[in-house]
Amino acid sequence: MNADRRRRPLIGITSYQDDAAWSVWRQRASLVPQTYVDAVSRAGGTPVLLPPQPGGTAHLLDALDGLVLAGGSDVDPARYGAAAGPHTGDPHRARDTWEFDLLQDALARDLPLLGVCRGLQVLNVALGGTLVQHLPDGSHQQVPAVFVRRPVRIDPDSRLGAVLGTAAEVACYHHQAADRLGAGLRATAWSTDGTVEALELPGRRFTLGVQWHPETDPDDLRLFAAFVTASCKEAAR
């Protein structure tokens, strides 16, 4: 059992709480797109869903080898001292509280962390940064529920650069972005309009956020594979 645990790290994925429908049922559910689960599993990890709940983050993270902060709703602007703009969605405060607590505990123990879209924004705000609440219409979020491929430039002297090289074409769907960077964070990828597309916290085992959605590309597991590898117990030695 221990050998199997080392071979397949236990990866927590934060999840949504939303109204959902299946079979004859329509009710509140804890869920996450299957693409996240598949990406972690195909990259060599064992995925575990982490629905918002009151407390218990430290005990939970004791059992995990890595943490994925998944995409989703807008972060409450009150967390970075701003009023909500006209395009900002209603806050999901339970999820915000849960993920900010998870993130702080993960950082405290240097647990490998991958933030996706909203996950990058949570990372930035948790470390004192701010967000652009709405990018120009049709720029990074063009058609509802459709990911758009966009080129990004990557700093070659970064962890992300070591994984993906100096450029990549990525699947975007976001209307917000990092503005002022949080303490210690470094921007390592940008879209053609200058929007920050990736953040890293140097000196960590793996603390990286991307504004795009790598989980939607089953043909390119490089980023998830690098994250899962960093989450292996052997990688920490």
Side-chain angles (χ1 to χ4, degrees):
M1 183 173 180
N2 289 337
D4 187 63
R5 171 88 182 276
R6 287 193 297 270
R7 187 170 65 252
R8 296 190 64 87
L10 203 60
I11 305 297
I13 307 172
T14 59
S15 63
Y16 305 56
Q17 279 185 335
D18 212 337
D19 297 330
W22 64 97
S23 183
V24 298
W25 305 103
R26 290 187 64 87
Q27 56 182 279
R28 198 75 172 165
S30 295
L31 52 90
V32 71
Q34 183 66 28
T35 48
Y36 286 97
V37 174
D38 291 343
V40 167
S41 182
R42 292 182 63 217
T46 298
V48 179
L49 301 193
L50 308 177
Q53 53 194 279
T57 58
H59 175 70
L60 177 61
L61 292 179
D62 284 341
L64 295 178
D65 301 306
L67 175 65
V68 175
L69 295 177
S73 58
D74 296 338
V75 174
D76 186 353
R79 288 193 172 262
Y80 48 95
H87 298 284
T88 297
D90 293 336
H92 289 224
R93 294 190 176 93
R95 183 176 180 185
D96 283 353
T97 298
W98 173 240
E99 292 188 355
F100 276 78
D101 288 349
L102 278 172
L103 173 62
Q104 294 293 356
D105 278 348
L107 291 176
R109 62 190 68 206
D110 197 15
L111 192 75
L113 169 75
L114 176 61
V116 175
C117 198
R118 168 190 159 92
L120 174 147
Q121 296 164 12
V122 170
L123 174 63
N124 192 48
V125 172
L127 292 177
T130 61
L131 302 179
V132 176
Q133 289 195 44
H134 189 66
L135 296 165
D137 289 340
S139 57
H140 294 257
Q141 186 172 295
Q142 298 178 9
V143 180
V146 175
F147 295 100
V148 177
R149 305 291 295 184
R150 294 177 60 91
V152 296
R153 173 176 58 88
I154 302 171
D155 183 347
D157 297 320
S158 66
R159 180 183 287 270
L160 184 64
V163 176
L164 298 183
T166 60
E169 188 176 82
V170 300
C172 281
Y173 190 81
H174 62 98
H175 81 110
Q176 298 194 337
D179 190 8
R180 186 184 73 240
L181 299 191
L185 287 171
R186 172 187 171 197
T188 56
W190 304 263
S191 61
T192 54
D193 62 6
T195 299
V196 172
E197 292 284 348
L199 294 175
E200 299 181 20
L201 194 58
R204 298 296 184 121
R205 287 174 58 194
F206 193 105
T207 301
L208 193 157
V210 294
Q211 192 59 74
W212 66 85
H213 285 267
E215 80 284 359
T216 66
D217 188 350
D219 296 321
D220 188 352
L221 285 173
R222 289 177 295 170
L223 186 53
F224 272 91
F227 162 67
V228 169
T229 297
S231 301
C232 291
K233 294 299 185 184
E234 291 87 344
R237 294 174 182 170

